[in-house]
Amino acid sequence: MSSNVVDTPPPAGTAAPLPDTGSMYDWIGGEAALRNLVDRFYDVMDSAEYATTIRAMHQADLAPMRTSLFEYLSGWLGGPPLYVLKHGSPCISRAHGPFAIDQAASDAWVRCMHQAMLDTGIPARYRRLLTPAFERMAGMLTNTR
């Protein structure tokens, strides 16, 4: 990713271990935190100059996408599988296939998500785990050079 946002790792020996139980969904704060994250993601995407290309891939009304991404990420992060229960197994590649997604678009998506994580207070230790996973997700959708 070509974003200028960098998380500085904590000094050696100071990082708290991950919880023994639960999932990332639980660790970041469950439903309320995920809703805040998704809402902030779309707010950033809707206003950031670097996100104009990916914003143009969406309808004017972002409400349906907010719901869809929330439901998808809920299950993806280990919470309730809301998207699967409503729509069946997701194929995000097929859903994004009609759009020309290049590396710059992929990077913009990750940059918006990273900014949303910062803005909503997702702890750094979880951002460091989520960022590469979001990068892989966005990278899988890249279909143009």
Side-chain angles (χ1 to χ4, degrees):
M1 183 181 90
S2 61
S3 170
N4 293 329
V5 181
V6 177
D7 280 326
T8 305
T14 62
L18 294 175
D20 290 334
T21 61
S23 64
M24 184 62 75
Y25 177 87
D26 301 314
W27 302 344
I28 67 168
E31 179 181 351
L34 182 56
R35 283 191 189 280
N36 288 337
L37 176 66
V38 168
D39 284 341
R40 184 63 189 141
F41 167 81
Y42 281 110
D43 292 346
V44 171
M45 188 189 73
D46 200 30
S47 62
E49 187 174 317
Y50 62 82
T52 56
T53 301
I54 61 173
R55 178 59 180 97
M57 296 177 192
H58 294 78
Q59 299 292 325
D61 180 8
L62 292 171
M65 292 310 306
R66 289 174 192 263
T67 299
S68 185
L69 184 60
F70 167 77
E71 291 171 350
Y72 177 78
L73 290 179
S74 177
W76 187 74
L77 292 170
L82 304 173
Y83 189 93
V84 172
L85 292 171
K86 189 187 267 186
H87 304 285
S89 184
C91 181
I92 63 172
S93 296
R94 187 177 330 128
H96 292 81
F99 304 100
I101 301 172
D102 61 9
Q103 189 61 52
S106 176
D107 288 349
W109 190 94
V110 173
R111 189 172 173 189
C112 290
M113 185 56 76
H114 191 81
Q115 188 62 53
M117 288 191 291
L118 289 170
D119 292 350
T120 59
I122 302 294
R125 65 186 187 160
Y126 301 138
R127 290 194 314 267
R128 283 191 294 276
L129 294 171
L130 286 167
T131 298
F134 284 134
E135 287 171 344
R136 284 188 300 276
M137 180 192 298
M140 288 179 1
L141 302 177
T142 302
N143 57 20
T144 27
R145 291 192 180 259

